[in-house]
Amino acid sequence: MPKIDLDKTDRKILSILQADGRLTNQEVAERVNLSPSPCLRRIKNLEENGVIRQYVALLDPDKIGLGLLAYVNVRLERHNDSHPAGGRSPRADFAASVANWPEVVACYAMTGEMDYLLRVHVEDMEHFSQFMMETLLRHSAVMDVKSSFALQRIKDTTALPLV
């Protein structure tokens, strides 16, 4: 996917919206010293080009009862990624399954010893154990998992660096 050329004003708009996506166009325009119409055109262009993917409300996991954060490395069995009997490959099957597991809030294909890294939010260790035993480890392609638990949040942001 080609990189989008962003000028200083676009970057400032993005920085402002990353900090507070609920601002009105008028408020954003004032902060970047533009009139509302050109500001709105820039924002629409950023949306249409996929630079702005979506607008969301970020929830505090502790306040909604999801106080345990785990990072889970997953290694799949090596089945040469062939498509058994016309079906999906083990990797495609795993990716499709992960999309339906609400505990998994992020999943990345990785380089190195493990194939995937999952970020998992659950209520507590019992919930994590249930997810592992009844969901993740029951998946036919999963060969090995290694889990780590977050002890303390040092930095947690969704804002990307706009250099």
Side-chain angles (χ1 to χ4, degrees), residues 45-120:
N45 184 52
L46 292 166
E47 291 169 348
E48 289 167 5
N49 283 303
V51 176
I52 297 174
R53 280 191 318 199
Q54 68 188 90
Y55 297 91
V56 299
L58 299 176
L59 309 180
D60 184 325
D62 294 328
K63 294 194 174 162
I64 60 169
L66 298 174
L68 185 63
L69 171 59
Y71 290 90
V72 182
N73 286 289
V74 179
R75 183 172 29 189
L76 302 184
E77 293 195 28
R78 298 283 176 230
H79 296 288
N80 75 7
D81 276 346
S82 61
H83 302 264
R88 292 189 291 220
S89 72
R91 294 177 80 78
D93 185 46
F94 181 77
S97 295
V98 166
N100 294 310
W101 297 339
E103 296 89 349
V104 177
V105 297
C107 175
Y108 298 95
M110 304 297 288
T111 62
E113 182 181 325
M114 302 303 258
D115 297 310
Y116 293 94
L117 175 64
L118 310 180
R119 190 172 80 227
V120 178

Side-chain angles (χ1 to χ4, degrees), residues 74 77 101 129 137 139 142:
V74 179
E77 293 195 28
W101 297 339
S129 178
L137 292 174
H139 193 282
V142 172

Side-chain angles (χ1 to χ4, degrees), residues 35-46:
S35 60
S37 292
C39 184
L40 185 58
R41 275 194 300 273
R42 283 175 176 267
I43 292 172
K44 291 292 181 201
N45 184 52
L46 292 166

